[in-house]
Amino acid sequence: MTDPTEISPLTWQQADEILSVEFRQPGDMPGYHWHRQVEVNIPFGGPVRYLINDQQIQLPEGHIGLFWGVIPHRLIECENCTQMGVINIPLSHFLALPVDDLLLNKILHGSVVISTTKDLFGHHEVLRWHNDSRSNSHGLYQLMQEEIVLMMKRVAVSGWQELLHTEPGKLHSLRMNERKIRYIQAMLSFISEHYYEAIRVNDVAEQIQLHPNYAMNLFKQVMGYSIKDHITMMKINHARALLAETNRSILDISLTTGFSAMSRFYEAFQKLVGITPNQYRLTTRSNAGVLLLPIEKETA
DNA sequence: AATGTCTCTGACGTCTTCGG
DNA sequence: CCGAAGACGTCAGAGACATT
């Protein structure tokens, strides 16, 4: 079997363009991982605690928590939590959600958001979605999709708050047609599959047959940062996962994640994370010693 | 003590990106 | 489309630590 640290964690997840609903037990939570969907979590029986963006986040029982999965995250504590609903929403679905731009922008800029109201959706509903997502019925799958959209609308309308605050930068209007959403999704997919190669903005634009200037503007308009910034962010996120989960040398990690020069890696890492790679490794290890529970690593 | 390895920084010329 | 700004690649080397 391929060592999961040898490849991008983004490739671990199959069919990640499909909206999926999982129902996990406390002992069945993956280690430090990341993916390109927006993750929605609902703990039942007790709160759960996460490390997201190197900060501890507690999601209270029955509340709906959501964040963009490209940020490395892991569950560190599952106090009395009997089960947790995990809904993975592909970015193309997420961008098309009929909710206010502020909520979408917060998620796209790395915030962790929770519903202020408890028990908006119960265990039985998540279980039904889980069963629907596994059935072969197109009709049931459609219904599940529509109900999850309604869930997101309810979160947006009934109230939400940020658990992990990030600088939102300029807020961008995300109201756009389906074709633009497909372009953004295609660019994100291409980048997530090739970020560790020497790809340029032109390659991304060429892949979806758009003029580079148009692709760059569209991306910035929607995401709020440039294509180049996103490529770098993907590399650094991969590096963070490898630094936290493996003992591979920093030189090795910098090359694996697509940096051609150590100096560039250190520069980008410090700019995005604020500390050096080794400091980051030591910090995550010291956190792990105090906080981390022995959780099985995701092998799928 | 000498040597090797790893981490990290800086200088400098070239290239790419992005805003106007 | 163009020019300025920023990012990049390459190279050199310092400092800490481990090994011989």
Side-chain angles (χ1 to χ4, degrees):
Chain A
M1 185 181 165
T2 312
D3 179 352
T5 62
E6 290 295 330
I7 55 172
S8 160
L10 291 174
T11 63
W12 299 351
Q13 188 120 13
Q14 297 298 311
D16 60 1
E17 303 312 324
I18 296 170
L19 196 155
S20 70
V21 180
E22 298 166 40
F23 222 52
R24 293 193 187 148
Q25 313 297 324
D28 190 27
M29 306 292 184
Y32 231 117
H33 68 290
W34 55 310
H35 46 79
R36 58 183 180 226
Q37 300 105 324
V38 171
E39 186 167 321
V40 180
N41 292 338
I42 314 175
F44 300 110
V48 291
R49 203 179 298 170
Y50 280 100
L51 263 186
I52 301 179
N53 223 2
D54 312 317
Q55 293 187 54
Q56 281 194 40
I57 302 295
Q58 178 160 301
L59 177 57
E61 179 203 358
H63 287 257
I64 298 170
L66 56 149
F67 55 90
W68 194 11
V70 293
I71 306 163
H73 54 279
R74 71 176 296 173
L75 192 78
I76 55 172
E77 205 172 308
C78 204
E79 187 185 326
N80 300 326
C81 172
T82 50
Q83 273 188 322
M84 186 163 79
V86 179
I87 304 165
N88 289 309
I89 305 178
L91 203 64
S92 54
H93 288 51
F94 182 74
L95 290 172
L97 284 174
V99 300
D100 64 289
D101 284 348
L102 183 63
L103 178 58
L104 298 187
N105 270 294
K106 287 287 183 186
I107 298 299
L108 290 178
H109 286 85
S111 285
V112 177
V113 164
I114 64 163
S115 62
T116 49
T117 310
K118 191 184 172 188
D119 298 330
L120 283 177
F121 287 82
H123 180 275
H124 64 283
E125 280 151 323
V126 181
L127 187 58
R128 189 178 66 238
W129 294 337
H130 170 69
N131 293 333
D132 290 348
S133 69
R134 293 187 160 202
S135 79
N136 292 324
S137 163
H138 179 69
L140 287 177
Y141 185 80
Q142 280 287 112
L143 266 178
M144 175 202 75
Q145 277 190 314
E146 287 167 20
E147 286 177 12
I148 287 172
V149 169
L150 279 176
M151 175 192 75
M152 293 301 296
K153 271 183 92 169
R154 189 166 284 278
V155 169
V157 171
S158 65
W160 51 273
Q161 66 181 85
E162 279 181 280
L163 279 187
L164 175 59
H165 176 76
T166 54
E167 283 302 319
K170 276 190 275 181
L171 290 179
H172 301 268
S173 171
L174 300 176
R175 299 278 78 85
M176 54 190 156
N177 61 38
E178 277 185 35
R179 196 171 55 160
K180 287 184 178 178
I181 291 173
R182 281 203 302 276
Y183 284 148
I184 294 294
Q185 180 68 13
M187 283 192 265
L188 290 170
S189 291
F190 181 75
I191 291 167
S192 65
E193 285 159 14
H194 298 275
Y195 67 89
Y196 49 89
E197 300 165 13
I199 56 166
R200 298 167 306 171
V201 173
N202 281 5
D203 300 323
V204 178
E206 196 177 306
Q207 180 68 21
I208 53 171
Q209 297 176 337
L210 288 180
H211 191 280
N213 288 354
Y214 178 71
M216 280 190 279
N217 286 333
L218 178 63
F219 194 92
K220 182 130 192 174
Q221 178 196 339
V222 174
M223 305 300 289
Y225 46 80
S226 70
I227 292 174
K228 195 71 196 172
D229 287 345
H230 184 70
I231 294 170
T232 304
M233 188 182 78
M234 297 297 286
K235 290 177 179 178
I236 293 296
N237 280 342
H238 187 183
R240 283 163 67 175
L242 292 179
L243 285 164
E245 291 278 299
T246 74
N247 286 321
R248 292 168 64 173
S249 73
I250 292 175
L251 172 64
D252 188 15
I253 289 172
S254 72
L255 295 173
T256 300
T257 54
F259 288 91
S260 58
M262 286 286 283
S263 57
R264 292 280 72 76
F265 175 61
Y266 280 108
E267 195 176 294
F269 197 94
Q270 293 208 53
K271 189 177 170 187
L272 281 170
V273 185
I275 52 177
T276 66
N278 199 42
Q279 283 173 335
Y280 178 81
R281 171 173 270 163
L282 295 173
T283 303
T284 54
R285 296 291 159 89
S286 63
N287 283 345
V290 176
L291 299 165
L292 299 188
L293 295 177
I295 297 168
E296 289 298 312
K297 189 166 177 11
E298 190 174 38
T299 54

